[in-house]
């Protein structure tokens, strides 16, 4: 087995375990066991559990940014692009391996003593907030920063709710989107 594929197996295994069970509940020994790699192999690529978590969060951020941008690229207008973000979330909630947001989990599980893990999580959330704010500016709403923050709180709340209730067949976001859409339209500067 090539060493790069061993690294990939470690990534995939640790990501799945952390997503499902959280970061503190999963130890290095379980990752090693389920990855079927030697302890030295894991430490060759990831010198500590904290480094592994940081690497996973950075990769997850890159993957989500790419996926969300692809979803928005299918939309034309700024309002449709914001709606496509809600649709992206809805599809994510429907995935059989949906266990909530790794960035929310990381920020809940790690204190200020682990600033890099918290910073990666904050950067991801800030990136999406900035994307939404830029779209709101193009729409011409009053107070785009405040509305972008409200939309992010809504999306994060929907994420937590979908994880808590583990909706069979996913969670439909039509009513949430309708509310947000009305808010955006009412916030347009005349």
């Amino acid at each position: 087995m090539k060493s790069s594929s061993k690294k990939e197996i470690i990534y995939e295994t640790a990501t799945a375990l952390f997503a499902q069970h959280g970061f503190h509940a999963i130890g290095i020994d379980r990752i090693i066991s389920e990855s079927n790699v030697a302890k030295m192999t894991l430490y060759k690529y990831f010198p500590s559990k904290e480094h592994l978590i940081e690497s996973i969060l950075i990769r997850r951020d890159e993957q989500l940014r790419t996926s969300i941008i692809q979803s928005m690229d299918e939309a034309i207008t700024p309002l449709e692009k914001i709606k496509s973000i809600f649709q992206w979330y809805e599809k994510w909630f429907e995935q059989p391996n949906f266990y909530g947001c790794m960035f929310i989990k990381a920020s809940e599980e790690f204190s200020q003593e682990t600033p890099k893990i918290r910073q990666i999580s904050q950067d991801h959330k800030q990136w999406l907030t900035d994307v939404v704010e830029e779209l709101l500016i193009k729409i011409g709403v009053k107070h785009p920063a405040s509305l972008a923050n409200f939309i992010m709180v809504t999306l994060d709340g929907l994420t937590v709710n979908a994880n808590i209730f583990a909706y069979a067949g996913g969670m439909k976001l039509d009513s949430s989107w309708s509310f947000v859409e009305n808010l955006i339209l009412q916030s347009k500067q005349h």
Side-chain angles (χ1 to χ4, degrees):
M1 181 182 294
K2 293 189 302 189
S3 59
S4 62
S5 62
K6 285 184 180 181
K7 183 178 181 181
E8 192 59 35
I9 289 168
I10 295 167
Y11 258 126
E12 290 174 8
T13 303
T15 300
L17 289 170
F18 289 147
Q20 187 170 4
H21 304 288
F23 297 98
H24 291 315
I26 298 297
I28 290 294
D29 289 338
R30 180 149 178 209
I31 295 167
I32 290 167
S33 172
E34 294 201 20
S35 297
N36 200 25
V37 297
K39 188 175 272 197
M40 284 183 63
T41 301
L42 184 134
Y43 285 117
K44 171 183 167 187
Y45 297 114
F46 308 103
S48 66
K49 181 178 176 184
E50 190 172 315
H51 184 269
L52 173 60
I53 292 167
E54 291 166 2
S55 299
I56 285 170
L57 290 173
I58 289 167
R59 177 184 267 201
R60 183 81 176 143
D61 174 52
E62 292 166 355
Q63 291 169 336
L64 293 183
R65 287 181 191 220
T66 299
S67 182
I68 291 169
I69 289 168
Q70 286 173 345
S71 179
M72 287 191 311
D73 284 348
E74 295 174 14
I76 307 293
T77 68
L79 186 62
E80 289 170 347
K81 288 181 183 295
I82 296 172
K83 182 178 182 179
S84 75
I85 295 170
F86 276 75
Q87 292 168 331
W88 182 92
Y89 270 76
E90 186 174 343
K91 288 177 191 162
W92 178 40
F93 297 162
E94 292 172 351
Q95 299 301 309
N97 62 348
F98 171 76
Y99 299 108
C101 176
M102 291 184 84
F103 302 103
I104 292 172
K105 288 180 184 184
S107 64
E108 290 171 344
E109 290 190 44
F110 292 96
S111 66
Q112 298 299 338
E113 284 83 47
T114 51
K116 188 166 182 188
I117 289 174
R118 291 183 68 84
Q119 190 62 53
I120 295 165
S121 300
Q122 290 168 356
D123 289 349
H124 173 75
K125 295 297 182 179
Q126 189 61 55
W127 167 78
L128 190 52
T129 304
D130 293 344
V131 166
V132 171
E133 183 179 352
E134 288 173 24
L135 293 168
L136 291 170
I137 290 168
K138 289 178 182 175
I139 292 169
V141 302
K142 295 179 221 164
H143 313 294
S146 297
L147 188 50
N149 284 323
F150 174 80
I151 290 170
M152 283 306 301
V153 168
T154 301
L155 289 169
D156 285 341
L158 290 166
T159 301
V160 171
N161 195 50
N163 188 36
I164 289 172
F165 292 102
Y167 294 101
M171 181 174 144
K172 300 297 177 209
L173 302 188
D174 296 345
S175 60
S176 298
W177 167 248
S178 293
F179 179 79
V180 168
E181 181 181 31
N182 286 334
L183 194 57
I184 291 169
L185 295 174
Q186 290 171 13
S187 299
K188 283 180 77 167
Q189 298 179 29
H190 299 291

